[in-house]
Amino acid sequence: MNVYAAVDLGASSGRVMTARIDGGRVCLTEVHRFANRPVRVGGTLHWDILALHRGVLDGLREAGPVDSVGIDSWAVDYGLLDGAGRLIGNPVHYRDERTAGIMERVTAEVGADALYQAGGLQFLPFNTVYQLLAEPDLDRAETLLMIPDLLTHWLTGSVGAEATNASTTGLYDVRTGGWAEELTERLGLPARILPELRQPGAAAGTLRAEVAAETGLPGSTPVTAVASHDTASAVAAVPADTDRFAYISSGTWSLVGLELPRPVLTEESRLANFTNEGGLDGTIRYLRNVMGLWILQECMRAWGDSGLAELLAAAAQAPPFQAVFDPDDPAFLPPGDMPARIAAFCERTGQRPPAGRAQVVRCVMESLALAYRRAVRDAVRLSGQEVEVVHVVGGGARNTLLCQMTADATGLPVVAGPVEAAALGNALVQARAQGVVSDIRALVRQGERLVTYRPKGEEEAWARAEARLPGR
């Protein structure tokens, strides 16, 4: 059939898409979408993992017969299984406050360099390693499964840790491609919970009898371990025709970086807070996490207004560079009144806060573009790899204002698309595993609508705006 089911789970919703490959082109169809609503219970913010599993089952039923199924999701979060294979509580959301202060304590005890040399990760308080150190049920656990691995386990019964998502834990040795056993022991974490690693494209099993009965799919339907970190799937679908490119996987988070053959573990890289995560075919996604469109989403939620298109149009006409902020300031991480936090940041830094919603939106767009500018330039400087073009993939590729500002801020052409990069990469890794596809990126270039934005030569204005930010 050459039809593949891509389960793509995001922070606010999940969906099941089918990808039909025919005549060198891919036709993506969304067959089922479902909400992903975190739940706060007893002061802890959880993912409703059973609702997500239900959404996956419903979507597979809607998809009908397929050649394979693959699951990708966000990184760092996990479920713990006990010795009988039962889930120990709902997985905790990475935005929960339970890890407060743990990263700083571990860094002081173990040393930032030791952590970086092993895991190569950006220092973020919600990394899996810090979550595990805050985990009250760790003594009961026999197996740790990242979110896509947990859902794959429920579909197939198999246990494994897909490498691209494992590489976000802080317990994966980015130099060797295996678990960082020495660091795990030093941190006092039980090595027994870390499953055998598997690479994107590996077979993860076939559907359990109960899943086949629930979905109407044949029990022989294979499940494939794709590049299960959604950013890894998205980068796999970047339509680059050269290795001299930067990418921005733009959604709730913006992942900004380069694709490299090996990690960059220098002291300068650590101080710049760049991460080295696994990609398809042993590549390294060398990137910085930028807060992303989460800030705009929270502004819209605070306003109770769904008129984003109108606001973006108004923002495009608003005066430029009235105020800018650092999206990676910790104040912008938790949910809350984002317009008030932006105003507070501006006041702290001696700037007049933006007046009116259109000006707030323009401030958000310009601030994100500045963050992208810094990340791309830092990645080039730290890795030594030159860049000729920036590829924007994911939902942010639809945001014409942000794409044009990114071209202006970086001084590089921006190629926007595909929008459904994670689902597309997910499906094409499955197809490649079955020998249907050989060159994923060539297929994406051939079949996807791409839009190019050229820089407009406003370098000095962007440099002046950047200079207003603390530490710049």
Side-chain angles (χ1 to χ4, degrees), residues 275-289:
T275 203
N276 295 267
E277 295 173 356
L280 187 63
D281 298 333
T283 56
I284 296 296
R285 291 176 291 116
Y286 184 61
L287 60 89
R288 178 181 288 153
N289 286 269

Side-chain angles (χ1 to χ4, degrees), residues 22 30 42 48 50 91 114 120-121 145 166 214 238 261 287 291 322 361 420:
D22 185 18
E30 182 180 297
D48 189 350
L50 295 182
L121 293 188
L145 293 176
E214 179 77 17
V238 166
L287 60 89
M291 203 72 74
Q322 296 298 292
V361 172
E420 302 291 356

